[in-house]
Amino acid sequence: MACEGILLGMGNPLLDISAVVDDDFLQKYDIKLNNAILAEDKHLPMYDEMASKGNVEYIAGGATQNSIRVAQWMLQIPGATSYMGSTGKDKFGEEMKKNSTEAGVNVHYYEDEAAPTGTCAVCVVGGERSLIANLSAANCYKSEHLKSPENWKLVEKAKYFYIAGFFLTVSPESIMLVAEHAAANNKVFMMNLSAPFICEFFKDVQEKALPYMDYVFGNETEARTFAKVHGWETENVEEIALKISQWPKASGAHKRITVITQGADPVVVAEDGKVKLFPVILLPKEKLVDTNGAGDAFVGGFLSQLVQEKPVEDCVKAGCYAANVIIQRSGCTYPEKPDFK
């Protein structure tokens, strides 16, 4: 049975500003669908434009926070999960804290005095999404916050750690502190490739953390980008997953398992030199609302079973279940109770 504080996540807490847009909007701001990028100056006017749309929604987001909330929802044990990241001292930050706390997550935000809470524009076209993150306060996380006794206590209590690759752009030092703690104490440390730009432009910090990763999550585009960046002459996702699983490890306590999702195609799991494929739950196109949070929800579902020491097949099933629920709703939201069997 999963106990209190068993799973700890660290990442960039962002408020999703989600709206259905059109192709002209994508072109105007030079946005590609199914991508995730950091905002540049040219993107900044976009947030106000989206906020003025009639169909705009504000949803607590940020990749790791989404996964932790979904794991918490699947577990239905108050306080089973904890989360750290940086917000601003403003109404968006307060709203997010309220949201996550009500969801049962034990959140310990670092509140930055100067920067506003980070936002993420979620542009939805035909159910597909593109993410443009304006990190703002999320970019201000300091490892001092992690090291403070009340927060480090959460690290000591947890047996499983999950951090999205996006956090590599903010506090690699915090990631390494947790990674080294996990390796020294036979705990499970997990990360996500998260986005092509992380694999391309944050290759060095990603490589530094990789030996500590017991599980590596990602999708097919990120896996192919990772392979390209490392000069692997292959686009074959199964082969790439296998190679990532065989990357040298810092500690021999756990073997590395790579889990790659491929949208409607089967989930690829590589472990022990073998690859297994697991079908996803197919959804008729008319039931798809948006894919925002689908990958995060898959990880959340997966983690909810992993922390209960269930076999990898059950973890994947739970991941597919959670992703299927989330893509039928706007953003990374879910009904009151799961009905996963």
Side-chain angles (χ1 to χ4, degrees):
M1 198 58 186
C3 55
E4 194 194 337
I6 192 164
L7 172 63
L8 171 64
M10 290 173 74
N12 302 332
L14 303 172
L15 189 75
D16 283 355
I17 302 172
S18 180
V20 175
V21 300
D22 53 23
D23 290 329
D24 291 344
F25 186 92
L26 297 183
Q27 279 182 316
K28 178 178 174 183
Y29 290 108
D30 190 23
I31 299 165
K32 292 182 185 67
L33 274 182
N34 293 315
N35 202 5
I37 58 171
L38 294 177
E40 297 169 36
D41 288 345
K42 67 181 177 188
H43 297 118
L44 297 180
M46 182 175 82
Y47 295 87
D48 285 339
E49 189 175 334
M50 287 178 76
S52 68
K53 287 185 182 292
N55 62 6
V56 69
E57 291 182 274
Y58 296 90
I59 305 160
T64 308
Q65 186 164 244
N66 284 343
S67 295
I68 295 296
R69 284 162 57 105
V70 170
Q72 179 60 50
W73 170 68
M74 291 282 287
L75 284 163
Q76 293 286 310
I77 300 161
T81 64
S82 310
Y83 175 80
M84 287 188 243
S86 176
T87 63
K89 277 198 163 168
D90 51 26
K91 70 173 198 303
F92 281 171
E94 278 166 35
E95 189 60 31
M96 205 148 44
K97 191 172 197 166
K98 184 169 148 262
N99 252 324
S100 290
T101 306
E102 280 171 1
V105 180
N106 178 13
V107 290
H108 283 221
Y109 291 143
Y110 165 72
E111 290 179 348
D112 191 77
E113 300 284 342
T117 293
T119 49
C120 182
V122 181
C123 305
V124 180
V125 179
E128 305 291 342
R129 61 85 177 131
S130 191
L131 309 175
I132 302 92
N134 185 10
L135 295 182
S136 232
N139 206 24
C140 303
Y141 191 82
K142 307 277 183 289
S143 58
E144 286 68 41
H145 178 260
L146 172 65
K147 290 177 197 164
S148 76
E150 59 172 324
N151 297 323
W152 191 253
K153 208 182 281 168
L154 297 181
V155 177
E156 290 181 332
K157 200 173 200 179
K159 294 189 174 71
Y160 296 83
F161 303 96
Y162 174 69
I163 304 175
F166 295 118
F167 203 53
L168 288 164
T169 76
V170 172
S171 187
E173 190 191 344
S174 300
I175 294 175
M176 293 313 294
L177 284 169
V178 172
E180 284 162 3
H181 167 86
N185 295 278
N186 285 349
K187 295 179 177 184
V188 178
F189 180 76
M190 302 170 278
M191 286 192 75
N192 202 309
L193 300 177
S194 288
F197 86 88
I198 299 288
C199 303
E200 288 173 306
F201 306 115
F202 293 86
K203 175 175 177 262
D204 294 351
V205 281
Q206 190 181 52
E207 274 185 18
K208 201 175 163 194
L210 192 58
Y212 293 90
M213 298 180 205
D214 299 307
Y215 284 79
V216 176
F217 296 94
N219 67 26
E220 74 279 40
T221 317
E222 295 149 9
R224 288 187 177 119
T225 305
F226 185 93
K228 195 170 116 198
V229 165
H230 289 89
W232 299 347
E233 304 279 306
T234 180
E235 291 251 307
N236 181 309
V237 175
E238 294 174 42
E239 209 177 307
I240 296 164
L242 207 51
K243 284 180 84 108
I244 292 173
S245 72
Q246 291 164 340
W247 194 283
K249 281 199 93 251
S251 139
H254 307 281
K255 59 192 177 186
R256 182 180 302 110
I257 298 177
T258 313
V259 184
I260 307 291
T261 57
Q262 311 186 86
D265 292 329
V267 177
V268 176
V269 177
E271 64 171 314
D272 285 337
K274 292 192 265 313
V275 171
K276 283 188 187 145
L277 298 177
F278 298 93
V280 302
I281 308 161
L282 293 177
L283 186 73
K285 184 78 176 155
E286 65 274 11
K287 284 194 165 177
L288 174 70
V289 174
D290 73 53
T291 56
N292 178 29
D296 302 335
F298 173 85
V299 173
F302 189 103
L303 297 179
S304 73
Q305 303 308 298
L306 185 70
V307 302
Q308 299 179 72
E309 300 181 4
K310 298 280 173 70
V312 84
E313 294 77 36
D314 293 1
C315 298
V316 173
K317 269 190 193 126
C320 292
Y321 163 77
N324 183 264
V325 168
I326 263 90
I327 61 177
Q328 296 182 64
R329 303 166 66 91
S330 182
C332 196
T333 60
Y334 37 77
E336 194 187 340
K337 293 264 194 295
D339 58 2
F340 173 68
K341 303 287 179 288

